[in-house]
Amino acid sequence: MTSEPFYQTIAQLAAALDAKRLSSVDLTKAVIARTKAVEGRVHAFNSFDETDALAQASSSDARRAAGQARGALDGIPIGFKDVIAVTGQPLTASSKMLANFVSPYDATVTTKLKNAGAVVWGRLNMDEFAMGSSTENSANGPTSNPWDLTRVPGGSSGGSAAALAAGEAIATLGSDTGGSIRQPAALCGVVGLKPTYGLVSRFGLIAFASSLDQIGPFARTVEDAAIVLGAIAGYDERDSTSFQTEIPDYRVDLKQRQGPWKLGIPKEYFGEGLDPEIAAAVERTIAFYKGQGCEIKEVSLPHTQYCLDTYYVIATAEASSNLARYDGIRYGHRSQNASDIVDLYFKSRAEGFGAEVKRRIILGTYVLSSGYYDAYYLRAQKVRTLIRNDFLATFRDVDALITPTSPMPAFKIGEKADPLALYLCDIYTIGVNLAGLPGISVPCGFTKSGLPIGAQLIGQPFRESELLAIAHAYEQAHDWKNKFPAL
Ligand code: GLN
């Protein structure tokens, strides 16, 4: 256990703040100092504003002194993926297209965290427009994995995972369209939760693929993830796919719900391409649950082999439509070399978007084009239903599924030059998005060379309480949360 405040959990810090053993200003100063000390090596942030953070911290301290503290998050510095809007702060999606854009409004999750008293801290690096699995597709250069600076932190929310692992924030927010919270959480040794589609409002999240995108927390522990989820979840009339459902107290729930649970092991998730050290660590996780009296059952998700293809049709189709708004007219990069209006559209987009974003727009435009729509997009939607039905069928027999989060541990920066090699990083996470389910990655060990490994638990729609309780049971019995990178 470390006594450094920047490596403590929300639960620990909230207790220290309430007991007046620590102030939010001191905590925020410690996080700022840590960030300045390691950021030259980690590069998790696109930008941060320490004056603004300290002003928020001081308001929190004043509230607490007046006996008006708003709960566990009051005074806790939380970093934001640079795709979630905060009034008056840059919002770039790590793209040249939005390099100079400042958000005029707050995302719903931002409003909710501000209302909970959190200190909104820093804009975190990511793959451009959330397209990627390594944070190498950032116009601002890559983020390094704090466990090995020559390696990627995963992506697309790589800055969110790395900042937390390096002690540059107490929790962070990311977005997950095909694995972008869970995969970097696994590669950086932290907890990452992708909520059920519709549980957390997408209002104020820069859209990538709207039927798949979901905001969620990165945290040091499952309990901390439960605290942040409780603050950001809930119906929002400004997101048309937001779902009306009662929001339980996840933090209380995760301690009250006890197993044994019935857990499913999807056989398709343990095949070719899975790193043997990861397979062994996940097997040990399964053995732990078995030892706790859980019933372990092999299950099948027969359409798994179509997940990647289905995702890359649907996600690119939606991206091509969502990214049409960046035309150089209303906001974003505008070319200075255009001869007429059509040339302005062409050049602004050619200059503003990076290679991977262009690849996705071209692919998405193609699958939606007349003559190909039925063959690709419509068919992908049908396969998506089959994929969802596979998962729902398993939930007739089991409470949750256990799988690896990522087929490989953190790889070297620059190692995967071929886009298809990178797409394979998400084979275990994409199905969850296509099916709209909640998924969480929890640390479950290290490779021999000291790289973190994550296990993924997949739950039933809107049953985050149960998913968190299952993850918490494992976490409590293991010491991974008390290991920190030597930076
Ligand atoms: N790596 C996947 C992609 O590149 C998923 C990204 C995400 O979840 N935002 O599309």
Side-chain angles (χ1 to χ4, degrees), residues 281-315:
V282 176
E283 293 297 344
R284 283 193 292 274
T285 308
I286 296 167
F288 163 81
Y289 284 110
K290 201 168 180 181
Q292 297 292 301
C294 294
E295 190 183 319
I296 307 292
K297 210 180 152 184
E298 186 180 276
V299 296
S300 176
L301 300 166
H303 295 92
T304 296
Q305 56 178 311
Y306 305 114
C307 280
L308 216 56
D309 298 357
T310 304
Y311 173 85
Y312 277 96
V313 172
I314 293 173

Side-chain angles (χ1 to χ4, degrees), residues 123 204 225 288-289 301 326 352 396 460 462 483:
R123 315 288 313 156
F288 163 81
Y289 284 110
L301 300 166
Y326 304 104
R396 285 191 217 117
Q460 307 184 40
F462 300 106
K483 304 241 182 308

Side-chain angles (χ1 to χ4, degrees), residues 248-250 253-254 257 462-470:
D249 188 330
Y250 296 111
D253 262 25
L254 77 92
R257 285 174 187 251
F462 300 106
R463 289 179 61 176
E464 273 75 3
S465 278
E466 185 161 50
L467 186 67
L468 290 162
I470 299 171

Side-chain angles (χ1 to χ4, degrees), residues 263-281:
L263 301 174
I265 315 298
K267 62 171 190 250
E268 291 81 3
Y269 282 57
F270 289 83
E272 210 187 312
L274 175 58
D275 179 282
E277 288 190 86
I278 295 183

Side-chain angles (χ1 to χ4, degrees), residues 177 182 194-198 211-212 269 301 307 310-311 314 383-393 395 401 429-438 458-462:
T177 304
R182 291 158 288 154
K194 180 250 170 223
T196 307
Y197 185 78
S211 76
L212 301 158
Y269 282 57
L301 300 166
C307 280
T310 304
Y311 173 85
I314 293 173
V383 179
R384 180 178 188 172
T385 302
L386 297 175
I387 291 165
R388 178 172 165 85
N389 289 345
D390 280 357
F391 280 101
L392 297 182
F395 291 136
L401 306 172
T429 48
I430 272 177
V432 167
N433 300 77
L434 289 168
L437 304 171
I458 302 170
Q460 307 184 40
F462 300 106

Side-chain angles (χ1 to χ4, degrees), residues 81 126-127 129-134 137 155-157 175-184 208-209 212-214 311-312 315-316 356 360 422-423 425-426 429-430 433:
K81 185 177 185 179
M126 50 181 281
D127 287 299
F129 284 101
M131 297 173 186
S133 303
S134 65
N137 297 335
S156 66
S157 315
S175 64
D176 190 314
T177 304
S180 280
I181 292 173
R182 291 158 288 154
Q183 184 257 14
F208 163 12
L212 301 158
D213 298 339
Q214 209 35 209
Y311 173 85
Y312 277 96
T316 58
E356 183 60 26
R360 307 266 180 126
L422 266 174
Y423 294 176
C425 296
D426 300 309
T429 48
I430 272 177
N433 300 77

Side-chain angles (χ1 to χ4, degrees), residues 173-434:
L173 290 184
S175 64
D176 190 314
T177 304
S180 280
I181 292 173
R182 291 158 288 154
Q183 184 257 14
L187 271 48
C188 290
V190 295
V191 174
L193 171 68
K194 180 250 170 223
T196 307
Y197 185 78
L199 183 66
V200 176
S201 170
R202 293 180 293 108
F203 179 78
L205 168 70
I206 292 183
F208 163 12
S210 306
S211 76
L212 301 158
D213 298 339
Q214 209 35 209
I215 295 171
F218 288 86
R220 299 199 189 291
T221 60
V222 175
E223 180 179 20
D224 279 8
I227 293 170
V228 179
L229 180 66
I232 63 176
Y235 175 72
D236 180 10
E237 62 181 18
R238 291 184 292 188
D239 171 357
S240 63
T241 62
S242 171
F243 192 73
Q244 300 233 20
T245 177
E246 185 113 359
I247 304 303
D249 188 330
Y250 296 111
R251 188 183 183 185
V252 169
D253 262 25
L254 77 92
K255 290 177 182 166
Q256 278 175 359
R257 285 174 187 251
Q258 306 286 340
W261 294 280
K262 277 192 183 178
L263 301 174
I265 315 298
K267 62 171 190 250
E268 291 81 3
Y269 282 57
F270 289 83
E272 210 187 312
L274 175 58
D275 179 282
E277 288 190 86
I278 295 183
V282 176
E283 293 297 344
R284 283 193 292 274
T285 308
I286 296 167
F288 163 81
Y289 284 110
K290 201 168 180 181
Q292 297 292 301
C294 294
E295 190 183 319
I296 307 292
K297 210 180 152 184
E298 186 180 276
V299 296
S300 176
L301 300 166
H303 295 92
T304 296
Q305 56 178 311
Y306 305 114
C307 280
L308 216 56
D309 298 357
T310 304
Y311 173 85
Y312 277 96
V313 172
I314 293 173
T316 58
E318 294 182 11
S320 73
S321 164
N322 276 326
L323 273 61
R325 72 190 69 176
Y326 304 104
D327 55 8
I329 304 294
R330 286 162 297 181
Y331 48 78
H333 176 75
R334 178 180 296 180
S335 174
Q336 298 305 309
N337 313 309
S339 52
D340 58 36
I341 182 77
V342 174
D343 197 38
L344 180 70
Y345 293 145
F346 275 118
K347 291 211 169 101
S348 298
R349 288 168 69 81
E351 293 165 9
F353 290 134
E356 183 60 26
V357 175
K358 286 179 188 159
R359 183 177 296 122
R360 307 266 180 126
I361 293 173
I362 291 166
L363 187 57
T365 305
Y366 178 79
V367 301
L368 287 175
S369 59
S370 129
Y372 294 101
Y373 181 93
D374 288 3
Y376 295 109
Y377 187 69
L378 195 64
R379 178 168 288 210
Q381 292 292 8
K382 291 178 180 170
V383 179
R384 180 178 188 172
T385 302
L386 297 175
I387 291 165
R388 178 172 165 85
N389 289 345
D390 280 357
F391 280 101
L392 297 182
T394 67
F395 291 136
R396 285 191 217 117
D397 290 331
V398 299
D399 299 309
L401 306 172
I402 309 186
T403 77
T405 305
S406 161
M408 71 283 274
F411 45 90
K412 294 265 184 196
I413 294 173
E415 182 184 321
K416 293 192 192 292
D418 170 16
L420 285 179
L422 266 174
Y423 294 176
L424 285 170
C425 296
D426 300 309
I427 46 170
Y428 304 138
T429 48
I430 272 177
V432 167
N433 300 77
L434 289 168

